[in-house]
Amino acid sequence: AMKENSTTRAFPLNDIQLAYWIGRRNVLEWGNVHTHFYFEFDGHVDPRRLEQAMRLAIANHGMMRARFLDSAEQESAESVPPFDLRVDDLTELSPADVEGRLAATRDRMSHSSPLRDEASPPYELVLSRMREGRTRLHLNLDMLVFDMVSMRLLLGELGARYEGRSPAAAVTDFDFRKYLELERAAESSEQFQQAMRYWSERCSDLPPGPRLPLPLSQDRAAIHSPRMTARRHQLPAAR
C-alpha cells in the first residue's frame, strides 16, 4: 500500500491548463465551468482486477497524482493512498430503478469534475453492477491532466493490465515538469521566434470568430453555475 508522502517541487501550469484553471474559478462571467471528459463502458468487469490495474497506472504516472495550487502551479505527490474502486450494486433493483440509478450517476458525473478541491484526484471511476454479471463503468477524467492522447494511453494501459498483459514501458526519467522546461527553453530558439513573428503579422488579416446569437432567459451576470448541453444543427451543403 502506498502512503501519502512528499511531493515534487511546484511548477507552473502551461497555457491551456491555465485557461482551464481560470475558467473553473468563479472570477469571470460564465466562469465556474470545469473542463472534463465523461465516458461509459458496458461490459462484464471484475472490480478487483480493474482496481488493481488502476492502482498500477496511478503509480506509473506522476500526473495522476497531481495537485493544483491557488498559486496557479501544480505538483505531483510521490505516492498517494491506495485507490479504491467504488462499486454501485444494482443487482436487487427493478429494471426501472436500475435505469434511474444509472441516469443519476451519469447526471452527477457528467456535470462535475473529479477535481472538486485541491485534495481530489483528477479522475473518478464508478462501477455499476447489474444482474447476470453485467456492469457499466463510469469514468470521469479532468482535462487539467488528461488530453485525448493521454486518455488513450490510460485506457490502453488499463486494458492491458486488466487482461494480465504488460503495457508499454513507462519513461521513468522524464515527466511533465521536465517536458514543460524543455518547451520553455525551445521558445528562445530562432525557429520559434520566426514562427511567432509570422503569426503576429498574420493576426491582423485573420477573420474574427462568428457572432452567434445568444438569447438568454436571464442576465449574464446572474449565471453563476453554467450547465453545458450538447446541441446539434445541420447546415445545407450549399451554405
Side-chain angles (χ1 to χ4, degrees), residues 35-234:
T35 314
H36 60 109
F37 288 98
Y38 173 73
F39 302 89
E40 291 179 359
F41 301 97
D42 285 352
H44 296 76
V45 170
D46 178 345
R48 297 287 75 82
R49 285 167 62 190
L50 178 60
E51 183 179 78
Q52 182 60 21
M54 188 66 175
R55 288 184 177 186
L56 291 169
I58 293 165
N60 200 24
H61 300 288
M63 285 303 289
M64 292 187 71
R65 306 187 300 274
R67 296 191 302 186
F68 295 87
L69 313 178
D70 282 341
S71 57
E73 293 179 300
Q74 57 199 322
E75 59 186 16
S76 176
E78 291 181 6
S79 58
V80 292
F83 167 77
D84 293 321
L85 176 65
R86 176 184 153 189
V87 179
D88 201 5
D89 190 347
L90 313 180
T91 54
E92 301 301 319
L93 301 183
S94 69
D97 287 343
V98 167
E99 290 306 314
R101 285 277 285 273
L102 292 174
T105 299
R106 174 185 295 169
D107 185 67
R108 179 186 68 80
M109 293 180 66
S110 63
H111 289 281
S112 65
S113 165
L115 263 174
R116 292 178 292 276
D117 53 56
E118 187 180 305
S120 301
Y123 51 82
E124 182 181 10
L125 278 74
V126 174
L127 189 69
S128 295
R129 184 155 46 184
M130 294 161 277
R131 293 177 183 175
E132 300 172 354
R134 293 184 301 116
T135 59
R136 174 168 295 173
L137 176 61
H138 311 262
L139 175 61
N140 198 6
L141 302 175
D142 196 283
M143 288 179 63
L144 273 176
V145 165
F146 295 94
D147 61 7
M148 190 62 70
V149 174
S150 52
M151 279 189 293
R152 289 174 179 161
L153 287 171
L154 173 63
L155 292 173
E157 181 171 330
L158 288 178
R161 292 190 186 281
Y162 181 87
E163 294 170 359
R165 296 183 285 109
S166 295
V171 180
T172 55
D173 60 346
F174 194 71
D175 57 20
F176 189 53
R177 178 179 55 80
K178 291 179 181 176
Y179 165 78
L180 293 183
E181 289 173 354
L182 287 175
E183 188 178 55
R184 284 193 294 272
E187 292 179 4
S188 61
S189 71
E190 176 54 33
Q191 186 179 19
F192 182 93
Q193 295 300 324
Q194 184 179 352
M196 180 66 78
R197 287 192 296 270
Y198 171 82
W199 286 109
S200 297
E201 292 168 3
R202 282 289 311 278
C203 276
S204 59
D205 300 328
L206 295 175
R211 296 181 61 82
L212 300 176
L214 292 172
L216 297 175
S217 59
Q218 55 183 306
D219 182 71
R220 282 169 40 150
I223 302 175
H224 298 296
S225 297
R227 190 173 175 90
M228 299 295 112
T229 303
R231 298 188 183 275
R232 180 178 296 173
H233 179 72
Q234 191 163 348

